[in-house]
Amino acid sequence: MSRSAYRGRFAPSPTGRLHMGSLLAAVASYLDARAHQGFWHIRIEDIDPPREQAGASTAILEALAVHQLHADAEPTFQSQRLARYASLCERLKAADLVYACPCSRKQLAHNASHRNDCGYHSGQQTWQEPIAWRLRQGQPQRHFCDGIQGSTTLQRDPPLDDCILFRKEGLPSYTLAVVADDHEEGITHVVRGADLIDPTFDQLALYEALGWEPPVFCHVPVINNDQGQKMSKQNLAKPLDNGLAADNLRTVLQLLGITLPPPLKRSGNPSNILEFAIGAWSRQPLAGKLGVRLPTETCQGS
Ligand code: GLU
C-alpha cells in the first residue's frame, strides 16, 4: 500500500514505564496513522532530567516493540536537540515575541499586578541569566477543530498565563520542544491523550509566533481511576506486563471502541490483533469522550 502524506507520532516522556493509559495513547496514534497509510514515529521527550527515571526510555521502547507497535524510523530523543531549541528561543527573542520573567507562577497568580510591579517586565530592573523566557501570548482565547473532540475553545488570562518557553534551569519547556519537533519532523497529525487539550493553547500560540502551520490535533480519552483522576505515573499506575501484550491490546482496543471478532477475543498474537484493529479503527466512537474507565476485571493500578 502506498504511503500518504500523513505523519503521526507517539511522544512519551521517560518519567516511568508505560502503563495502560500510555498504551492507549500509543495504540490510538499508531492505528490512526496506519489507517491513513501514514508514517508513524516514536519520539522520547527526555528534556526534564529531574523527573526522568533511569532506564525508562529503554523500557518504553521495549514495551512498544513487544506490543508490535513498530515505527517507520529510529526513535528520536529531544535531549539531542537542545541547541536547536535554544536557537528557536533566540529567534523569538530577536522578534520580541518572548520576554524574560523571573516571577514564579505562584507570584503571578497571587497578584495579577505583580508582573507590572516587579520592575522586570517594565524594564525598570535588569535581569541576570539564568532567567525564564515566556511567550507573549496576546490573545486570551483560541479555537481549533479537534479531529476527535470537535470544535474546541480554550481560554487564557495573559500575561498571567503566558507560558514558559525556556526555563531558568537552562532547559527548553515541553511547549517549545514539542512544537519544534512536531514541525521539524513534519508531523501532520498529533493523536494523544485528552489531558493535553489545555496545553494545545500554548502550542497554537507558539505555532503562530513562529509562522508555522499547526498539525491536526486529535485528543483521545484518558483512562480515569475510581476517583476520576487520570491514570498516570504520578498516581502509581501499574507498569504494563509485557508478558500480557495481547491482553493489554485487547483492553485498550475495547476502550477505543473496537470490537474484536470472537477468535481474536480468545487468541491471536499482538500482530494479528493490531492488523484487525487498523481495519476497524474509527475516531467516531471517541467523539466527545474525555475519559474512560478500565473494565473491572483489568485492574491496572489506581
Ligand atoms: N511527552 C508528553 C507526555 O508524555 C506527551 C507529549 C505529546 O504527545 O504532545 O505526556
Side-chain angles (χ1 to χ4, degrees):
M1 200 177 275
S2 70
R3 270 282 148 75
S4 69
Y6 182 116
R7 290 174 71 90
R9 54 52 160 195
F10 175 56
S13 303
T15 50
R17 301 165 85 92
L18 289 190
H19 49 75
M20 204 61 97
S22 29
L23 182 67
L24 183 138
V27 168
S29 76
Y30 175 86
L31 293 181
D32 202 64
R34 293 293 182 243
H36 288 90
Q37 291 84 49
F39 169 98
W40 190 67
H41 175 61
I42 299 170
R43 177 199 310 140
I44 301 289
E45 300 206 325
D46 52 350
I47 44 160
D48 195 356
R51 291 185 57 234
E52 280 155 30
Q53 200 186 81
S57 297
T58 310
I60 290 172
L61 293 172
E62 190 186 319
L64 292 170
V66 170
H67 288 79
Q68 300 298 312
L69 296 164
H70 298 298
D72 295 304
E74 288 302 309
T76 49
F77 292 82
Q78 289 192 324
S79 56
Q80 293 171 4
R81 288 180 33 85
L82 297 178
R84 177 63 187 142
Y85 309 133
S87 86
L88 279 173
C89 193
E90 290 306 315
R91 174 174 152 190
L92 292 162
K93 283 182 201 173
D96 195 28
L97 290 166
V98 290
Y99 59 90
C101 177
C103 310
S104 68
R105 171 138 187 99
K106 209 167 147 194
Q107 285 172 315
L108 291 173
H110 185 66
N111 179 359
S113 66
H114 173 89
R115 186 176 172 273
N116 299 322
D117 296 345
C118 73
Y120 288 95
H121 306 100
S122 57
Q124 288 158 14
Q125 295 261 15
T126 52
W127 60 81
Q128 292 185 337
E129 306 279 358
I131 199 161
W133 290 86
R134 288 182 189 270
L135 179 66
R136 232 181 266 292
Q137 311 223 88
Q139 29 169 315
Q141 187 166 304
R142 285 186 186 270
H143 182 81
F144 70 102
C145 188
D146 191 291
I148 289 178
Q149 305 297 340
S151 171
T152 304
T153 301
L154 298 170
Q155 308 279 350
R156 284 289 189 275
D157 183 9
L160 194 65
D161 291 333
D162 284 351
C163 70
I164 290 184
L165 292 189
F166 228 81
R167 298 159 49 188
K168 63 175 184 312
E169 294 81 5
L171 290 167
S173 67
Y174 158 63
T175 308
L176 177 58
V178 79
V179 167
D181 287 356
D182 281 337
H183 175 74
E184 288 170 8
E185 289 167 355
I187 300 301
T188 59
H189 291 73
V190 168
V191 179
R192 59 184 180 188
D195 54 316
L196 293 168
I197 292 178
D198 189 63
T200 307
F201 182 103
D202 300 328
Q203 293 165 37
L204 289 170
L206 182 55
Y207 276 104
E208 189 177 279
L210 289 165
W212 294 343
E213 186 70 28
V216 175
F217 291 101
C218 299
H219 289 96
V220 296
V222 294
I223 302 182
N224 289 327
N225 65 15
D226 291 345
Q227 288 75 47
Q229 297 158 331
K230 180 201 136 185
M231 176 184 269
S232 70
K233 295 153 198 162
Q234 288 71 33
N235 56 33
L236 307 178
K238 234 168 67 185
L240 290 174
D241 179 346
N242 285 345
L244 298 175
D247 287 336
N248 297 336
L249 289 172
R250 287 187 187 95
T251 302
V252 298
L253 291 176
Q254 186 186 339
L255 296 174
L256 289 169
I258 295 178
T259 308
L260 293 172
L264 287 177
K265 274 190 183 153
R266 286 187 298 275
S267 60
N269 58 35
S271 304
N272 305 142
I273 293 173
L274 285 174
E275 196 183 306
F276 174 85
I278 293 168
W281 169 253
S282 163
R283 296 177 189 164
Q284 218 284 321
L286 306 175
K289 272 196 202 171
L290 297 175
V292 286
R293 296 275 295 278
L294 278 180
T296 40
E297 68 274 15
T298 325
C299 198
Q300 285 276 339
S302 53

